[in-house]
Amino acid sequence: MRQPEHLKIVGLKSTTPRLKILSLFESSQEHHLSAEDVYKLLMASGDDVGLATVYRVLTQFEQAGLLVRNYFEGGKSVFELNQGKHHDHIVCMQCGHVEEFYDATIEARQEKVAIERRFSIRDHSLYIYADCTNKQCPHKDLRADPMPTNKIGAAQSLD
Amino acid sequence: MRQPEHLKIVGLKSTTPRLKILSLFESSQEHHLSAEDVYKLLMASGDDVGLATVYRVLTQFEQAGLLVRNYFEGGKSVFELNQGKHHDHIVCMQCGHVEEFYDATIEARQEKVAIERRFSIRDHSLYIYADCTNKQCPHKDLRADPMPTNKIGAAQSLD
DNA sequence: ATGCAAATGATAACGATTATCATTTGCATC
DNA sequence: GATGCAAATGATAATCGTTATCATTTGCAT
């Protein structure tokens, strides 16, 4: 299930629900999971954790820097392990598959835009919604619910 | 209140609530309005329009191309008149002031990223969350509620 | 083993939005 | 200008993701 060290380090008591949720992110095939996804996966594997706890723990993990929260369109948050390196996302609207990318030029231009307008960047979100046409969506099974009819932007904390 | 031509053109019957809502966007100081904002502004000016109608009409206007919907963080949609020219947003997290910007390089790089990954872009959203420090937030009064504690990305349709 | 603050879980509450459905309205036709 | 009917409206219930409440349980320092 996972050693409690990581949790202790970030100042969180190592409880059963927390350890289960953290190891789920580390073992899951799809690493972009919503609270609902986490809850269902835990139930499916026989681990009963309350939905309220799932939401609480995800938020705590985000604040502790273990997870990064993304605000996908449709109004629901999706979490992923914080790999330390900032990236943006491109989402297939057909199958919901998510790919990550990092473009130094885009990052730099954002800084430029902010400076020109005398803003100091705290955060930014960039989501590209697209169709992975050439691949004929070979990712259809990776995600529970394909993708909301309705798409939404997402937030991305800077490193 | 506004002439009904525009509505007819996009295939919508010109009703009183629709005309009021459209002219509100054209006359309002702040041109990024949520459904709640629209509802309250209408009430304040003595025009009673049901909240359900506001939501319906905003969605119809979006589909008709009259308005553009933005998914700000916090999960609420914000609408603005469709000026024809695509732009992204930079939002002050202190006062909620929104400025628009367009950066050709960023747009181009997004295309590049998508092509490299064999995706075809349908839509994208880019929101920069920042503090307009140097301006000492001179925009505090423009918006009803400053800005949700919690921030969200936003969607932007490509021209 | 004990104690207590912290964490959990069931459930109610919440905010934004959509669905339902009876009533009203725009507007084409007479 | 009166009529008819599909379309639009508005009050309200319902939904969805999420947060708040609060009694019970648990981690862990003693």
Side-chain angles (χ1 to χ4, degrees):
Chain A
M1 186 156 86
R2 195 173 212 281
Q3 298 313 305
E5 286 76 51
H6 296 71
L7 291 179
K8 292 261 181 67
I9 291 173
V10 297
L12 291 173
K13 210 179 269 190
S14 67
T15 65
T16 314
R18 285 178 183 156
L19 292 172
K20 282 178 182 165
I21 291 173
L22 188 50
S23 66
L24 180 61
F25 273 94
E26 293 173 330
S27 65
S28 175
Q29 179 73 19
E30 173 60 69
H31 49 248
H32 293 89
L33 301 173
S34 68
E36 197 67 30
D37 290 337
V38 170
Y39 180 69
K40 284 179 182 162
L41 285 170
L42 288 176
M43 296 302 264
S45 61
D47 299 309
D48 283 19
V49 174
L51 183 56
T53 301
V54 171
Y55 275 100
R56 257 187 314 240
V57 170
L58 290 176
T59 300
Q60 292 163 343
F61 282 3
E62 180 201 8
Q63 290 168 347
L66 295 175
L67 297 179
V68 173
R69 180 195 297 256
N70 296 108
Y71 299 88
F72 277 62
E73 287 198 16
K76 64 158 62 173
S77 294
V78 177
F79 297 82
E80 63 184 305
L81 275 182
N82 183 358
Q83 314 281 172
K85 39 187 190 304
H86 162 72
H87 57 255
D88 291 308
H89 296 88
I90 181 163
V91 185
C92 174
M93 295 178 76
Q94 301 291 309
C95 65
H97 176 66
V98 179
E99 281 191 28
E100 300 164 354
F101 70 89
Y102 177 83
D103 186 287
T105 304
I106 291 178
E107 300 291 324
R109 296 293 292 195
Q110 287 186 51
E111 265 306 330
K112 182 168 179 296
V113 166
I115 290 171
E116 283 171 358
R117 286 171 180 64
R118 299 177 179 283
F119 276 79
S120 84
I121 293 186
R122 264 216 240 165
D123 229 345
H124 84 262
S125 86
L126 170 55
Y127 267 72
I128 297 178
Y129 296 97
D131 300 318
C132 48
T133 47
N134 295 325
K135 298 181 177 179
Q136 296 173 264
C137 287
H139 323 286
K140 283 210 161 51
D141 312 324
L142 290 182
R143 224 180 152 63
D145 45 322
M147 179 96 302
T149 329
N150 211 359
K151 6 101 226 175
I152 243 205
Q156 195 57 51
S157 49
L158 296 172
D159 312 346
Chain B
M1 188 156 83
R2 194 172 213 281
Q3 297 312 304
E5 286 77 52
H6 298 72
L7 291 178
K8 293 260 181 65
I9 290 174
V10 298
L12 291 173
K13 209 179 266 188
S14 68
T15 66
T16 314
R18 284 177 183 158
L19 293 172
K20 282 178 183 166
I21 291 173
L22 188 48
S23 66
L24 180 61
F25 274 94
E26 292 173 329
S27 65
S28 176
Q29 180 73 19
E30 173 60 69
H31 49 247
H32 293 89
L33 301 173
S34 68
E36 197 66 31
D37 290 337
V38 170
Y39 179 69
K40 284 178 182 162
L41 285 171
L42 288 176
M43 296 301 264
S45 62
D47 300 309
D48 282 19
V49 174
L51 183 56
T53 301
V54 171
Y55 275 100
R56 257 186 314 239
V57 170
L58 290 177
T59 300
Q60 292 163 344
F61 282 2
E62 181 200 8
Q63 290 167 347
L66 294 175
L67 296 178
V68 173
R69 180 195 297 254
N70 296 108
Y71 297 88
F72 278 61
E73 289 197 16
K76 63 159 60 173
S77 293
V78 177
F79 298 83
E80 64 185 305
L81 275 182
N82 183 357
Q83 315 280 172
K85 41 186 190 301
H86 161 72
H87 57 255
D88 292 308
H89 297 88
I90 181 163
V91 185
C92 174
M93 295 178 77
Q94 301 290 310
C95 66
H97 176 67
V98 180
E99 281 191 27
E100 299 164 355
F101 71 89
Y102 176 84
D103 187 287
T105 304
I106 291 178
E107 301 291 323
R109 295 295 291 195
Q110 288 186 50
E111 265 306 331
K112 182 169 179 294
V113 165
I115 290 170
E116 283 171 359
R117 286 172 180 64
R118 298 177 180 286
F119 277 79
S120 84
I121 292 187
R122 265 216 239 164
D123 229 347
H124 84 263
S125 85
L126 170 56
Y127 268 72
I128 296 177
Y129 296 96
D131 299 317
C132 49
T133 47
N134 294 325
K135 298 181 176 178
Q136 296 173 264
C137 287
H139 323 287
K140 282 210 161 51
D141 312 324
L142 290 181
R143 226 180 151 61
D145 44 322
M147 179 95 306
T149 328
N150 210 359
K151 6 98 221 179
I152 242 205
Q156 196 55 51
S157 50
L158 297 171
D159 306 351

